[in-house]
Amino acid sequence: MNSEEEFFDAETGLESDDSCEVSFKDATQENGVWERRKKLPAEMISRNNFSVWNILKKCIGMELSKIAMPVVFNEPLSFLQRISEYMEHTHLIHKACSLSDSIDRMQVVAAFAVSAVASQWERTGKPFNPLLGETYELTREDEGYRLISEQVSHHPPISAFHAESLKKEFEFHGSIYPKLKFWGKSVEAEPKGTMTLELLKHKEAYTWTNPMCCVHNIILGKLWIEQYGTVEIVNHRTGDKCVLNFKPCGMFGKELHKVEGHIQDKSKKKRRVIYGKWTECMYSVDPKVYEAYKKSEKKSGGESKKLRQERSCEAEEADEMPEVQETVTVIPGSALLWRITPRPAHSAQMYNFTSFAITLNELEPSMERLLSPTDCRLRPDIRAMENGDTDLASSEKERLEEKQRAARRERSKDEEEWSTRWFQMGTNPHTGAEDWLYTGGYFDRNFTDCPNIY
């Protein structure tokens, strides 16, 4: 067995506690066995008859958080549910917890950081903006974790989340302030905020920020997404660091979706090279092997001069999506860290959702009595859109937004400040920066003082 197969087998061979019952019956019953749903109640709503240009033409260079968008450009999930998609590849955190070497742990944490943004591939619908005080919980006993998130601020929009292992092996938390700007042909999203992953057994904390995201061809042509920027992951106990470069598309899209970087120890010695695509897979290889491979690649000719003409992925009419090479060239001696989970065959008709995303807004009668009344599964506008009723989704969205504005006016009149329920502003003990920290108590399920936001 080569090193790639060995790592991949270890990575996918995690044991799950099959004796646990899923906390919520968020599934359909088939032959007496509860299974999560595999499709949405209705197919994606067509956007062909709507022009986003009429809305955005006055917004070039502006932040879009205060711009009201027609519901047809949304996907039937709240941004809080979108955040929970970070947890799709939780098996990587479990793998990191099981490893004894800090460099081995770092490379798996790096793969997790990449996997956490992989669900954005081809997801061109905008999630619903969470209402102030909105929450989302996700308990996955089969994956060994539970998550709670809350919209802690409306202007600016800030979402805080906290996930924890059911066996007290890890905590993963952060707060995100997504800044959106329109640049004429594209919308750029800057996910401001720090991710913190704590491996409790190893007494380690890792922190990083996510890359920039850009949606091209907002006005004309086929929508496509790229992520770019430098992601720096720091192990605050050992001083190890991983620097990942999410590459912009470059000439002829040669670099589209590529991620390359390295892991260095506290003495700044390179220990591993990390490479792959955030849409596909990530590998790890020894730096000397990597450098030798690159040298041999140059000797064999590299790219032809014909491809070196000046042309970026920006075309005059539209930002044409470059052709993407579907596979990553694997350097001999590499270990596979992570591979993306294939999407369901009908994903294109389901807002390009992953199998994981399809389950996030599922609501069964037995679940409703356990949820907080602020949980976004209970939002009528998202529920209506999921069911394919655009008119009801639009009217409910307007009603909820007006209700939120009226509540804000009342607080202003009474000189009353909004009080968050599950998170408080504090200091991240690992970075020293301000952060929204979970105060605990949500899973005691005392929701009597939760606001009526729907």
Side-chain angles (χ1 to χ4, degrees):
M1 180 181 286
N2 62 33
S3 59
E4 174 185 329
E5 291 169 337
E6 187 174 12
F7 202 103
F8 187 65
D9 286 346
E11 174 249 315
T12 55
L14 293 168
E15 295 181 2
S16 61
D17 186 356
D18 294 329
S19 66
C20 289
E21 291 183 4
V22 179
S23 293
F24 298 125
K25 304 290 188 183
D26 55 343
T28 54
Q29 194 166 13
E30 187 174 313
N31 299 324
V33 178
W34 288 94
E35 292 184 357
R36 290 179 178 83
R37 67 185 184 184
K38 294 179 174 60
K39 62 180 183 179
L40 298 177
E43 290 191 359
M44 177 178 170
I45 297 163
S46 173
R47 298 169 182 153
N48 293 338
N49 298 325
F50 296 87
S51 172
V52 73
W53 175 243
N54 291 333
I55 301 153
L56 295 180
K57 59 187 176 182
K58 297 180 181 179
C59 304
I60 295 175
M62 292 173 58
E63 190 185 342
L64 300 182
S65 63
K66 297 184 180 180
I67 306 300
M69 297 286 288
V71 74
V72 72
F73 295 110
N74 286 63
E75 61 177 24
L77 288 177
S78 166
F79 184 68
L80 296 182
Q81 291 166 312
R82 191 78 175 258
I83 289 173
S84 73
E85 293 185 59
Y86 292 162
M87 304 303 293
E88 180 172 357
H89 298 278
T90 304
H91 60 81
L92 292 170
I93 305 181
H94 290 299
K95 177 64 185 175
C97 290
S98 73
L99 296 170
S100 58
D101 182 78
S102 67
I103 298 298
D104 289 342
R105 289 195 294 275
M106 174 61 89
Q107 65 182 9
V108 180
V109 170
F112 173 73
V114 175
S115 79
V117 298
S119 67
Q120 296 189 45
W121 180 38
E122 296 189 328
R123 293 280 289 281
T124 54
K126 177 183 176 295
F128 281 72
N129 291 335
L131 301 168
L132 186 60
E134 183 175 310
T135 61
Y136 182 68
E137 70 164 285
L138 182 64
T139 299
R140 289 292 299 265
E141 293 188 4
D142 56 333
E143 295 289 339
Y145 71 85
R146 62 189 185 186
L147 172 146
I148 174 62
S149 56
E150 179 182 4
Q151 190 69 6
V152 294
S153 173
H154 186 60
H155 288 307
I158 301 174
S159 308
F161 74 93
H162 178 94
E164 58 191 24
S165 163
L166 297 178
K167 295 182 178 179
K168 310 298 182 186
E169 293 175 333
F170 70 83
E171 292 182 357
F172 177 47
H173 52 94
S175 52
I176 301 173
Y177 166 19
K179 295 191 72 172
L180 303 177
K181 283 193 175 180
F182 176 54
W183 295 112
K185 291 187 290 184
S186 62
V187 170
E188 186 178 63
E190 179 185 0
K192 298 186 71 174
T194 299
M195 308 293 104
T196 301
L197 174 63
E198 300 182 46
L199 305 184
L200 304 179
K201 171 185 171 183
H202 300 286
K203 298 180 180 178
E204 288 179 340
Y206 301 79
T207 59
W208 67 90
T209 56
N210 286 328
M212 299 281 283
C213 180
C214 186
V215 181
H216 293 268
N217 293 344
I218 294 296
I219 308 304
L220 178 68
K222 182 182 177 182
L223 292 168
W224 60 280
I225 291 174
E226 67 172 329
Q227 300 199 75
Y228 46 83
T230 300
V231 173
E232 190 173 281
I233 306 169
V234 177
N235 181 331
H236 291 268
R237 185 180 70 83
T238 65
D240 299 336
K241 183 184 294 186
C242 179
V243 181
L244 294 174
N245 180 18
F246 285 70
K247 298 191 172 186
C249 66
M251 294 184 181
F252 282 94
K254 182 177 168 60
E255 305 297 321
L256 185 63
H257 300 156
K258 283 189 177 181
V259 183
E260 289 184 1
H262 66 273
I263 296 171
Q264 64 186 44
D265 58 26
K266 63 181 178 182
S267 64
K268 298 188 178 180
K269 178 183 177 182
K270 281 189 182 181
R271 301 291 298 276
R272 302 292 289 178
V273 170
I274 309 289
Y275 68 95
K277 291 183 178 180
W278 63 266
T279 54
E280 189 176 338
C281 55
M282 293 300 296
Y283 287 89
S284 168
V285 70
D286 183 272
K288 291 180 181 177
V289 174
Y290 180 82
E291 292 302 326
Y293 177 83
K294 287 297 182 183
K295 284 180 182 178
S296 66
E297 196 179 43
K298 283 184 179 179
K299 284 182 181 179
S300 65
E303 68 174 354
S304 66
K305 289 182 180 178
K306 191 176 181 180
L307 292 180
R308 293 183 182 178
Q309 57 184 292
E310 288 190 13
R311 180 183 183 275
S312 72
C313 57
E314 293 278 340
E316 287 86 4
E317 296 297 325
D319 296 346
E320 296 174 6
M321 182 175 179
E323 287 188 22
V324 180
Q325 195 172 3
E326 290 300 326
T327 57
V328 172
T329 302
V330 181
I331 300 170
S334 298
L336 179 65
L337 300 176
W338 161 78
R339 188 183 297 282
I340 198 167
T341 303
R343 295 193 179 179
H346 53 278
S347 177
Q349 289 78 49
M350 302 287 172
Y351 303 88
N352 288 309
F353 280 6
T354 63
S355 296
F356 184 81
I358 286 171
T359 69
L360 294 177
N361 201 47
E362 192 167 13
L363 180 63
E364 291 294 318
S366 59
M367 184 193 297
E368 192 166 351
R369 63 184 174 80
L370 296 171
L371 288 172
S372 166
T374 55
D375 193 282
C376 46
R377 291 181 184 88
L378 306 177
R379 273 187 67 161
D381 51 350
I382 297 178
R383 184 64 55 193
M385 187 171 186
E386 182 183 90
N387 291 330
D389 192 335
T390 315
D391 292 339
L392 179 59
S394 182
S395 63
E396 282 296 309
K397 180 172 177 283
E398 289 177 12
R399 181 185 67 80
L400 292 173
E401 289 170 349
E402 178 51 40
K403 183 173 182 176
Q404 182 171 239
R405 285 190 288 268
R408 187 168 61 246
R409 287 193 294 268
E410 283 297 312
R411 289 196 303 274
S412 178
K413 185 172 67 175
D414 297 338
E415 298 183 347
E416 182 183 329
E417 291 288 325
W418 172 261
S419 179
T420 55
R421 183 66 179 84
W422 309 110
F423 292 80
Q424 285 186 353
M425 177 63 77
T427 301
N428 186 310
H430 311 293
T431 64
E434 283 191 338
D435 203 354
W436 286 92
L437 304 175
Y438 178 53
T439 56
Y442 176 89
F443 294 97
D444 296 336
R445 305 203 173 279
N446 179 10
F447 302 134
T448 54
D449 59 346
C450 287
N452 175 13
I453 60 175
Y454 301 143

